[in-house]
Amino acid sequence: MIAKHWKIILLNLMKWKGLMTMNKYILTLLMLPLGLSSFAQANISPAKPQDKKTIVMGAKLHVGNGKVIENSYLIFDKGKITGVGDATVARIDMTGSTVIHANEKHIYPGFIAPTTNLGLIEISSVKATLDYNEIGDFNPHIRALVAYNTDSKVPATVRSNGVLMAQITPQGGTISGSSSVVQLDAWNWEDAAIKKDDAMHLNWPVTPKFRNTGNRPVVSADVLKERTQNLLNALDQFFAEAKAYAETDKPAVTNTRFAAMKHLFDGSQRLFITAAGEKDIIAAVKFAKKYGITPVIVGGDEAYLITSFLKENNIAIIVNEPHNLPDSDDSDVNMPYKNPGVLANAGLDVVMGMHSYWQLRNLPFMAGTIAAWGLDKEKALQTITLNTAKVLGIDKTAGSLEIGKDATFFISAGDALDMKTNKVEQAFIQGRDINLDNLHKQLDKKFSDKYNAGKK
C-alpha cells in the first residue's frame, strides 16, 4: 500500500513538471527500490538467546573431527555445548530440560563457507546492490564486515542446507581488503561478527592467457609480461613499505593503507592469496615467506603438482568447488574432482570454497562430491567444518561438536552431504533455535498452492 502511494505521488509530480516523456528513465530508477521491495520475502527475525538447557537424543552425531557417534546425546546451555557422548552408556539427568528426540537422524556442526561475497551482493544485475570491491589495486584498508547486509535474502537460503557461518570477503584489485567471519542470523553486522578482520586477501598477479581484445590492437605477450612484472614490483614495494610502517612506533604521517597491514606482520591476521597455477602458487608462497608470513592459498587448481612443497611450508589450501572444468588443457578432465582428495591424502589441510554467494547452498554437496572421488566421507566433512574453522582462526569455538564450543549445529533427516537426503529440520546458532524459512520455500509454497488450487 505504501509503495502504491509513492508511485502515484511520483507520477503526479512528474506530470506537473511536464517531464513524463523525457524522464521515463529517471522514473524507472526512482521506482526500482519500490519494485524490488514488492518481491521481498516476509522478514525473518533473528532467534532469541537460548533460555533453557536442551538435550538432543538418539541421533547419529558427526563430531566434525573425523569421529562419529552412532547413538548420541548432545547437551547445550546458554549457547555452549556442555555435554556430548554415547547415549547407550551414559546416564543423563533430563530434569527441567527441553528434550529433542532425533532417532535415525543426523547431527552436524554448522557448515562454514570461506572466501564468499555473501551479504555484499544481492542482485548481480543491479549495480546498486553490488558492494564487494573497490576501485584501485591496493585496498588493504577496505573492511568487508561493515558492508555486510544482514537484511539480505540470500543467507536464509543457505542456512536451510546447513551453512550457518561464512567468511565475508572483498574481491577485486590486487589487495582486496580484509574479511571477517560471521554467523548467519543477526540484526546487524556487529551482532553477526564472530571474528573481525581475520584475514587480508591478495589476488596474485598473473599474465593473461588471451590477448585478443576485439577491435582493439592485440597486445603482445612481452607487453603483458612486463605489465605483470611491474605489478609484482609494485606489490613488493608496497609490502616493504607497509612492514617498515608497522615497525615504526609513531609514524610522522598516518597512512591508512599501511596501517591496515600491521596485523599481517605481527601474526594476528592471516594472508589469503588467490593463485591457481603451479608456478604462481610457488611464487606467492615464497613472496609471503619473504615477509615472515605463512599464507593460505585460495584456488590451487594445480596444487596437486606440488604437494611436497606445500607440506614443507605448512600451507593450507582452499580449493574451488569441484564442479568445474580443469584449469589447463593438459590436466586430467576429472582433476577438479580429485584435487581435494590428493591434497588431503598428502597431509595438507584442505578447505572447500565456492566462487560466489549464489552457489553457497550447494557447499555440502561439493563436499559430498569429493568424498566420491578419493576422500573419506568424514574427512570430506572436515573440509567444510573443522578444517575451515582452523584456517579462519575460530576452531576454539566452532567447527566441531565438543564441550565448551558454541552450540552451532543442525539436525538433518538424512546424510547432509547428499542432495537427495539433506533435509535440515532444525538448526541452532550459538544455542539459538533459528527460523529456517526462506524466500525459496515461500515461493515453492505459493506456486504449489496456486497450481494445486481446484484439484480434488
Side-chain angles (χ1 to χ4, degrees), residues 191-325:
D191 294 341
I194 294 176
K195 186 171 184 179
K196 298 178 181 179
D197 304 315
D198 69 296
M200 188 68 66
H201 294 262
L202 189 161
N203 296 305
W204 190 252
V206 178
T207 302
K209 294 181 180 179
F210 303 101
R211 304 190 300 276
N212 193 341
T213 55
N215 295 326
R216 298 177 183 178
V218 175
V219 181
S220 69
D222 290 339
V223 171
L224 290 174
K225 289 180 181 178
E226 183 180 0
R227 288 179 182 177
T228 301
Q229 189 57 53
N230 289 339
L231 186 53
L232 286 169
N233 292 340
L235 180 65
D236 190 26
Q237 181 178 352
F238 189 88
F239 263 72
E241 292 177 358
K243 187 175 182 181
Y245 185 92
E247 294 171 350
T248 304
D249 291 335
K250 296 180 179 179
V253 178
T254 300
N255 187 309
T256 55
R257 285 177 168 81
F258 291 161
M261 301 271 287
K262 179 179 180 180
H263 295 302
L264 273 181
F265 303 112
D266 65 20
S268 60
Q269 187 180 47
R270 301 203 72 169
L271 178 63
F272 283 41
I273 306 179
T274 299
E278 172 188 3
K279 292 181 180 179
D280 296 323
I281 295 170
I282 293 173
V285 170
K286 289 183 177 180
F287 173 84
K289 290 286 186 177
K290 175 182 175 181
Y291 291 99
I293 300 168
T294 299
V296 174
I297 295 297
V298 180
D301 293 348
E302 294 185 356
Y304 66 94
L305 297 172
I306 49 173
T307 54
S308 297
F309 170 80
L310 295 171
K311 192 170 182 179
E312 287 171 7
N313 288 280
N314 193 30
I315 305 299
I317 305 287
I318 299 179
V319 296
N320 291 325
E321 63 267 24
H323 295 185
N324 275 312
L325 291 173

Side-chain angles (χ1 to χ4, degrees), residues 341-356:
V342 171
L343 298 174
N345 292 330
L348 297 170
D349 287 333
V350 179
V351 173
M352 177 60 64
M354 308 290 287
H355 275 123
S356 298

Side-chain angles (χ1 to χ4, degrees), residues 326-342:
D327 184 62
S328 169
D329 292 339
D330 297 325
S331 297
D332 181 348
V333 69
N334 294 320
M335 203 61 231
Y337 299 109
K338 297 189 289 188
N339 188 29
V342 171

Side-chain angles (χ1 to χ4, degrees), residues 373-425:
W373 285 84
L375 192 59
D376 175 79
K377 192 71 170 284
E378 295 304 315
K379 285 187 177 180
L381 175 64
Q382 284 182 249
T383 66
I384 55 175
T385 55
L386 189 56
N387 286 5
T388 313
K390 287 179 179 178
V391 168
L392 303 187
I394 59 170
D395 52 303
K396 290 184 178 180
T397 59
S400 60
L401 301 176
E402 300 176 79
I403 294 175
K405 291 193 174 185
D406 288 347
T408 300
F409 67 95
F410 65 91
I411 302 170
S412 174
D415 181 353
L417 303 191
D418 188 332
M419 188 178 292
K420 292 182 179 179
T421 55
N422 178 310
K423 185 179 179 182
V424 178
E425 297 184 341

